[in-house]
Every structure is written in structure tokens, then in C-alpha cells.
Amino acid sequence: MTTQRPMQVGMVGLGRMGANLVRRLMRDGHRCVGYARTESTVQQLAGEGMVGATSLADLVAKLDRPRAVWLMVPTATVQSTLDQLIPLLDPDDVVIDGGNSYYRDDLVRAEQLAAYQIRYVDCGTSGGVWGLERGYCLMIGGEQEAVALLHPIFKSIAPGRGSAAPTPSRLRDGSAPEGYLHCGPSGTGHFVKMVHNGVEYGMMAAIGEGLSIIRHANVGKTARMPTSTTSTSPRSQRSGGAARSSDRGWWTSPPTRWPAHPSWRTSPGGCRTPVRVAGPCRPRSMRACPLR
């Protein structure tokens, strides 16, 4: 597909998700300017059609007004990035925080930027390393005018209609069938994303507990339980059935069905679960990983 309203977007942070957001936007006809602290990352995407920037000031200078600057940086660096960015921006510019910031921080940041007449949008982004092909589900918070300005960007990033069957009892108008939703004022986007994460992690933990019960039940005691991840093992057969009946999709199904992906690695924080969206585990993080 190609958007009917191409826009220019500045992307700060070109990690796994940031880079794929840029690729998905460019694929749909948008123009992207990107900046990351790692020069090789910028150069790689520049070779794919992105305009590279050497600094935040360079990125802002290469964007047309009113600017749309999307932050895809670790939660711990959002505020410091904003503090550097604010003096470079002009009134009516829009800053989108696409990470996993705490929703109460969004309230403070929206007020901080409003003092400079800069608009702030918080956007929970779900899709992980598969978002480039599948699309990213977006949960958006902010003023109606700012969100409306960004609709072409959101529509290009989201999965689009037909990617999943709509819930029969719900209305099919608006942007929700496209895979993105304006949830309300500042903070609501990241609040809904927080709830989304809780549901997903709860399901993953429940599946893990179920598999543990199966593994330790008095089944197959005459022979050692196979450790193969193929469909011939009893555990894989059971988890495969669970995945087919799950409304969360195969990426929340048990590890026996997870495909290998080159971006997964063991976390230096000690967690042996795949490192996907949030990056390496941090033992002192407020969010405890249910799979550790």
C-alpha cells in the first residue's frame, strides 16, 4: 500500500523497533530523517533511503515545519532526550514518545512541552521484531488536534484492516479496525499499553505454569520426556493446540512454537528469555519479568 498523505517524520533511536518503524514508513511513501548515537546504524538505514542525521540539531534542521519527531529510545533516556530537543523545536511541532514510558510521566512531559507550545503524544507501540511485516498496534494519548495531524503516520505503521477479524459485538468504524486507537488525553496511550503488557505477560505466565504441570505429571514416566521442540513431543502437541485456540496470536504461545530470530539473545541481567522489545533486563527495574 502507499499512503495518500505522505509526511516527513524524524526518528530518534534506530534500534530494532525504531529501524523497522522507519522501514515501514518509507515503504508506505513517507520521508524519514533518522538519528542514533551509533553512526553505523544511521548509515545502514541511509543506504535504504532514510536521510541520516549526525545530531539532534541536525535532525531538527532537516525536518519541515510543523515537525513530527518520534522518540524510540529506552525509557530511562526519554526525559534527557526531551530536554535536549525542546530548545531546538518551534511552536506547533509534535513529539511522539513511542516507548514504554510510565503514564504519569506523560502528564508531566505534556505540561512541560505545552509551555513552549510544543505538542506531546504518548504512543504505546506493540509489535516487536515482527512489526515490519505484521504492523504495529498503537495505543495513543494526546490532544485531538495533534493526533489527527499524525493519522497518516499511524495508519502506515498499524497492521491495517483485514489483519485480524473484528470483534462481532463492537463497532467497526473509526481507526480501531486499522490497528491503532486514540485512547484519550495525555497518558492514556501508555496506560492502555501498560494494561496490554499485563494481560500478555499474565497469559505467558499461565501458559508456562500449564506446561510445567504437564511436564511434571505422571505422563511418559516409562521413558524420558523428549526435549525436542518438534511437533512429535507431547509437550509440543499440547502447546500447539493452545496456540491455535489463543486469541493473542502465536507470539504469545509457549516457547516450543517460537521461531528462532537473530535479534534474540540472552539478557546480561540474568534472564534467559528472549530479548525482544524492551532490550536487556535490568535487575533493578521496577517492572519484574514474570518469566525469570
Side-chain angles (χ1 to χ4, degrees), residues 8-266:
Q8 188 186 38
V9 185
M11 185 68 66
V12 179
L14 299 173
R16 296 181 188 90
M17 289 188 67
N20 281 345
L21 285 171
V22 167
R23 293 185 177 105
R24 190 167 175 88
L25 286 166
M26 291 193 299
R27 178 187 296 179
D28 207 29
H30 298 282
R31 296 173 295 131
C32 293
V33 181
Y35 166 70
R37 289 181 296 180
T38 306
E39 184 178 353
S40 59
T41 304
V42 177
Q43 293 303 319
Q44 178 182 351
L45 285 166
E48 299 178 29
M50 184 194 77
V51 176
T54 58
S55 65
L56 289 176
D58 187 34
L59 178 135
V60 171
K62 291 178 177 178
L63 292 174
D64 301 329
R65 297 179 59 184
R67 305 175 182 91
V69 181
W70 188 299
L71 305 185
M72 211 66 195
V73 298
T75 302
T77 63
V78 171
Q79 187 59 53
S80 60
T81 303
L82 277 176
D83 292 340
Q84 298 175 60
L85 198 56
I86 289 175
L88 306 172
L89 298 176
D90 295 299
D92 295 330
D93 288 347
V94 184
V95 176
I96 308 105
D97 178 7
N100 281 324
S101 293
Y102 185 40
Y103 73 95
R104 289 185 180 272
D105 292 338
D106 293 321
L107 303 178
V108 177
R109 290 164 183 163
E111 185 175 351
Q112 178 188 8
L113 269 65
Y116 299 91
Q117 299 179 7
I118 301 170
R119 293 169 287 187
Y120 179 83
V121 172
D122 55 286
C123 181
T125 309
S126 177
V129 293
W130 300 278
L132 176 61
E133 301 301 330
R134 298 176 62 97
Y136 296 87
C137 292
L138 306 174
M139 294 139 274
I140 306 159
E143 296 179 357
Q144 179 64 43
E145 182 181 351
V147 174
L149 178 69
L150 301 170
H151 269 294
I153 296 174
F154 297 141
K155 188 172 182 178
S156 295
I157 294 173
R161 291 179 183 267
S163 57
T167 305
S169 61
R170 296 185 179 177
L171 297 176
R172 302 190 182 188
D173 56 353
S175 64
E178 299 281 354
Y180 68 98
L181 180 67
H182 182 201
C183 303
S186 296
T188 57
H190 282 145
F191 181 88
V192 174
K193 180 60 161 58
M194 177 181 66
V195 175
H196 161 281
N197 287 350
V199 172
E200 182 179 14
Y201 297 161
M203 291 181 66
M204 294 170 71
I207 292 169
E209 290 180 8
L211 289 173
S212 177
I213 292 172
I214 293 172
R215 181 178 182 181
H216 294 91
N218 190 26
V219 176
K221 289 296 184 179
T222 56
R224 184 173 181 176
M225 181 71 75
T227 58
S228 170
T229 59
T230 65
S231 60
T232 58
S233 74
R235 184 171 62 172
S236 290
Q237 292 173 9
R238 289 174 174 82
S239 63
R244 283 191 291 274
S245 64
S246 173
D247 63 354
R248 285 295 303 144
W250 58 265
W251 62 86
T252 56
S253 61
T256 54
R257 286 180 57 85
W258 282 345
H261 195 281
S263 68
W264 287 7
R265 55 188 172 83
T266 301

